[in-house]
Amino acid sequence: MGNSKSKTYKRVLVPVSEEQLLDIFKSHDRDGDGKLSKEELKQAFSYLGSRFSAFRAEEALRTVDDNHDGVVSMDEMNKLIQYTKGRKYTIC
C-alpha cells in the first residue's frame, strides 16, 4: 500500500489595488470594445476568486451601469473599481 498524500491549498485573501483592478478589468474586455459585458465581468470576478462570480457581475452592473445599457463603459469604470475596492480576492 502506497502512502497517499494529497495536497490541499489554503485560500489566501490579498488586497488588490485600484491600479491592479483597472488592469484586470481591462484585460477581460475580450472583444476590445472598451466595455465590459456581463459575461466579461463574470470572468473578471471569477479571476479575482469570487465564488459567486455571476451574482457579483449582476450586482456590479446594477450598481455601476448609470446609463442602463447593460455594460460597464470606460466612463463607468471608476465606479466599478470603487464597487470592487475594499474586498479581498484570491487572484487565480
Side-chain angles (χ1 to χ4, degrees):
M1 296 236 162
N3 187 1
S4 176
K5 292 184 180 181
S6 63
K7 292 183 180 182
T8 56
Y9 296 96
K10 182 179 177 181
R11 288 180 66 128
V12 177
L13 302 178
V14 296
V16 180
S17 73
E18 289 183 24
E19 190 174 309
Q20 288 172 314
L21 286 172
L22 180 60
D23 289 343
I24 290 166
F25 286 128
K26 282 184 174 181
S27 74
H28 281 85
D29 178 14
R30 301 289 186 210
D31 56 9
D33 65 354
K35 301 175 184 177
L36 292 171
S37 67
K38 185 165 110 175
E39 185 58 34
E40 289 168 332
L41 278 172
K42 181 180 163 186
Q43 291 171 358
F45 282 114
S46 179
Y47 174 83
L48 286 167
S50 176
R51 292 188 299 170
F52 306 104
S53 58
F55 171 79
R56 183 67 60 212
E58 190 72 39
E59 284 297 305
L61 272 175
R62 192 179 349 263
T63 303
V64 307
D65 185 15
D66 292 332
N67 61 2
H68 307 289
D69 63 354
V71 295
V72 176
S73 66
M74 286 302 133
D75 293 336
E76 298 162 330
M77 188 63 67
N78 190 49
K79 197 170 179 183
L80 175 63
I81 290 169
Q82 295 308 310
Y83 167 82
T84 308
K85 190 174 95 171
R87 293 172 172 85
K88 294 183 180 179
Y89 293 97
T90 306
I91 299 176
C92 300

